[in-house]
Amino acid sequence: MYRGRFAPSPTGPLHFGSLVAALASYLDARAHGGEWLVRMEDVDRPREMPGAADAILADLEFFGFQWDGPVMYQSQRTDAYREALEQLKAADAVYPCGCSRKEIEGDQYPGTCSHGLPPGKVARAWRVRGEGDFVVLRADGCCAYQLAVVVDDAAQCITDVVRGADLLDSTPRQNHLQRLLGYPLPRYRHVPVVLAADGQKLSKQTGAAALDRGRAGSLLWEALEFREPGAPPELKSAPLADVWSWALRRY
Ligand code: GLU
């Protein structure tokens, strides 16, 4: 059984890049006769924008996405994350780290605390051994994105992750955690991300324009065309439902 998901972070409203990502996983799930779940990745409370989670769900619904089952909220999953962390601790796969951000240059952690906290340092975060010793529990006590995602993908029995290529770097880290935790590894497919005129990824945090509901049909058409050129041009001004029926027939 195929099970896919779309997992937006409520850091701002949906934009064209999110529509492309949602569509990629949705069409893949439907083409496989599978299920498609929505998970609200509100694990990072400080980065959350009030109201964004509801606005995202309302937009998804307005644009015609139909998800299976209830929406999972990461903000309600603290116990599951804590349990996974305990499992990693019991396996000695993680260690406390007392380094501040300023002390670490570059992406790779130099392993300063991996053999025990050096004298004078106090534990701030927890890191996992291997794959660059990345953080699994942040200094503010918040579960890190990488751990939350693998715990939830396993809990939701996700078989296929289709997401933006901006998350390519995360996949080996997530696979590392899945192996340590004894979870099955989903299949992954990364799709091209939409870039703004300045060459940067469209992003909620940098204020990409929210989806314009008045242009829903043509935005969906444009998202299909971005995914794979060849959508019939006359569909661009067709009602949303017609664009969907073409897309669902095609894939
Ligand atoms: N929440 C992540 C984001 O919005 C996506 C996570 C994922 O698809 O694995 O960028």
Side-chain angles (χ1 to χ4, degrees):
M1 177 65 185
Y2 180 115
R3 240 181 189 208
R5 50 51 158 198
F6 178 56
S9 304
T11 50
L14 285 185
H15 52 75
F16 183 67
S18 355
L19 180 64
V20 166
L23 190 64
S25 64
Y26 190 74
L27 289 180
D28 204 52
R30 294 296 178 236
H32 287 87
E35 292 180 335
W36 188 73
L37 281 61
V38 171
R39 181 169 74 230
M40 198 50 70
E41 300 214 311
D42 54 355
V43 67
D44 192 347
R45 300 322 284 260
R47 272 181 48 208
E48 192 172 334
M49 179 197 270
D54 288 345
I56 287 172
L57 295 178
D59 268 346
L60 285 174
E61 202 173 337
F62 184 87
F63 274 78
F65 292 91
Q66 292 172 357
W67 54 90
D68 295 293
V71 175
M72 176 182 269
Y73 287 82
Q74 290 191 326
S75 53
Q76 293 166 13
R77 303 266 305 144
T78 314
D79 289 351
Y81 305 149
R82 192 170 302 132
E83 231 171 80
L85 185 70
E86 290 309 317
Q87 194 183 330
L88 294 170
K89 283 183 187 173
D92 191 32
V94 291
Y95 60 87
C97 172
C99 296
S100 66
R101 202 166 287 193
K102 269 194 282 172
E103 290 173 282
I104 308 166
E105 284 170 24
D107 277 353
Q108 291 278 337
Y109 180 64
T112 321
C113 300
S114 61
H115 305 293
L117 279 176
K121 279 203 192 278
V122 257
R124 293 163 47 89
W126 283 77
R127 291 180 181 275
V128 65
R129 301 182 197 283
E131 284 299 330
D133 287 21
F134 56 92
V135 169
V136 287
L137 185 74
R138 304 182 343 187
D140 63 2
C142 198
C143 173
Y145 156 73
Q146 307 290 3
L147 181 59
V149 167
V150 301
V151 171
D152 292 342
D153 280 340
Q156 295 190 293
C157 302
I158 299 301
T159 61
D160 291 78
V161 173
V162 179
R163 61 183 179 188
D166 53 316
L167 289 159
L168 258 175
D169 288 356
S170 292
T171 305
R173 294 180 164 199
Q174 291 174 12
N175 290 164
H176 181 58
L177 290 174
Q178 285 153 345
R179 290 193 183 96
L180 288 170
L181 290 162
Y183 296 161
L185 271 66
R187 283 180 290 266
Y188 288 86
R189 203 152 68 75
H190 294 88
V191 299
V193 293
V194 182
L195 302 179
D198 62 0
Q200 297 297 309
K201 178 189 120 138
L202 279 192
S203 151
K204 299 190 199 96
Q205 280 163 289
T206 51
L211 292 173
D212 175 359
R213 290 187 178 197
R215 295 187 54 235
S218 52
L219 284 171
L220 185 65
W221 184 91
E222 284 169 24
L224 286 164
E225 186 68 8
F226 178 86
R227 183 168 180 271
E228 190 185 334
E234 64 278 11
L235 260 191
K236 193 170 179 187
S237 47
L240 186 62
D242 294 357
V243 186
W244 269 121
S245 66
W246 180 84
L248 290 167
R249 243 182 300 124
R250 166 88 189 253
Y251 295 103

